[in-house]
Amino acid sequence: MRELFQRIKLDVIIGAICCILFGIVLLIWPVEVTTVTCKVIGGAIAFLGLLKIIGYIMNAKEKNGVNLPLGMVLFFVGAWIFLKPGSVQSLLMIGIGVVLFVHGFEDLKYAVQTKRSGFENWWVIFLFAVLGMGLGAACIVDCFGVISVTTTFVGIVLIYDGITDLWIVAKVVNVTKEIKKELETFKDSDIEIVEAEIVTEEETD
């Protein structure tokens, strides 16, 4: 259980806060955020392709035949994404859906681990995990079809995912502390029993 506590302390909390903040941003600027994000991704891909092309031209002595065509492909694909971000916005939603599904799966593991540790309300974590996985799958399927509505929905889901992750972390931490406290109490009682037996034996002698 101590390993579980160490594993979820910081990374899950940071991830949850990021999900909440990004979800709020998506709610306020649903279309603008996806457009800017796609432009940034497209620009980064184009820049990487340009670097490979320049590297191929400058390294005249050690030319790699793959770098030039690969660089050209990356440059044109990145430029296309940058100029037409709407064509890949659905892919961005799918990526967010995958992240949400993975978070739900991780919460599912926490539910199983808290059940094994004796947490009575483990099923609440289980329900949150299943719901999170379902919402992530819905984002992947993109059943709404309209990018502005889908983005607003994803923003709400991200906020939900962040809040439930923080709640799950708090519950798991509490369970860890309770188990540690019980173990220390049990250990102290064993020591007291042993000391009482020693005193009894000395008095008998």
Side-chain angles (χ1 to χ4, degrees), residues 68-103:
L68 181 61
L70 179 60
M72 294 179 66
V73 169
L74 290 174
F75 178 78
F76 285 113
V77 169
W80 177 69
I81 294 174
F82 182 85
L83 296 174
K84 296 183 177 180
S87 58
V88 294
Q89 284 179 341
S90 58
L91 295 178
L92 179 62
M93 296 298 103
I94 291 174
I96 294 175
V98 171
V99 172
L100 292 172
F101 188 87
V102 171
H103 280 189

Side-chain angles (χ1 to χ4, degrees), residues 36-195:
V36 171
T37 303
C38 290
K39 281 182 173 291
V40 171
I41 294 173
I45 294 174
F47 181 71
L48 179 62
L50 186 62
L51 288 179
K52 286 189 173 295
I53 294 173
I54 294 174
Y56 176 84
I57 296 174
M58 295 185 65
N59 295 328
K61 296 181 179 179
E62 299 180 359
K63 287 187 176 181
N64 189 342
V66 179
N67 283 340
L68 181 61
L70 179 60
M72 294 179 66
V73 169
L74 290 174
F75 178 78
F76 285 113
V77 169
W80 177 69
I81 294 174
F82 182 85
L83 296 174
K84 296 183 177 180
S87 58
V88 294
Q89 284 179 341
S90 58
L91 295 178
L92 179 62
M93 296 298 103
I94 291 174
I96 294 175
V98 171
V99 172
L100 292 172
F101 188 87
V102 171
H103 280 189
F105 184 76
E106 290 177 349
D107 292 342
L108 191 66
K109 293 190 295 184
Y110 295 149
V112 174
Q113 290 171 333
T114 52
K115 180 185 177 182
R116 292 175 179 174
S117 301
F119 181 51
E120 295 181 356
N121 295 327
W122 65 270
W123 56 271
V124 178
I125 300 177
F126 179 83
L127 290 179
F128 280 147
V130 173
L131 182 58
M133 293 172 67
L135 292 173
C139 294
I140 296 172
V141 174
D142 191 16
C143 57
F144 295 99
V146 181
I147 187 63
S148 59
V149 175
T150 303
T151 307
T152 303
F153 172 75
V154 171
I156 296 173
V157 172
L158 284 171
I159 295 173
Y160 161 83
D161 181 71
I163 293 174
T164 53
D165 278 351
L166 290 177
W167 182 85
I168 290 172
V169 168
K171 289 299 178 183
V172 174
V173 169
N174 288 336
V175 171
T176 304
K177 289 181 179 178
E178 289 176 1
I179 292 176
K180 185 177 180 180
K181 186 177 180 180
E182 290 178 359
L183 290 174
E184 290 177 352
T185 304
F186 181 75
K187 187 183 296 184
D188 292 338
S189 62
D190 282 349
I191 294 173
E192 291 177 358
I193 292 173
V194 172
E195 290 177 349

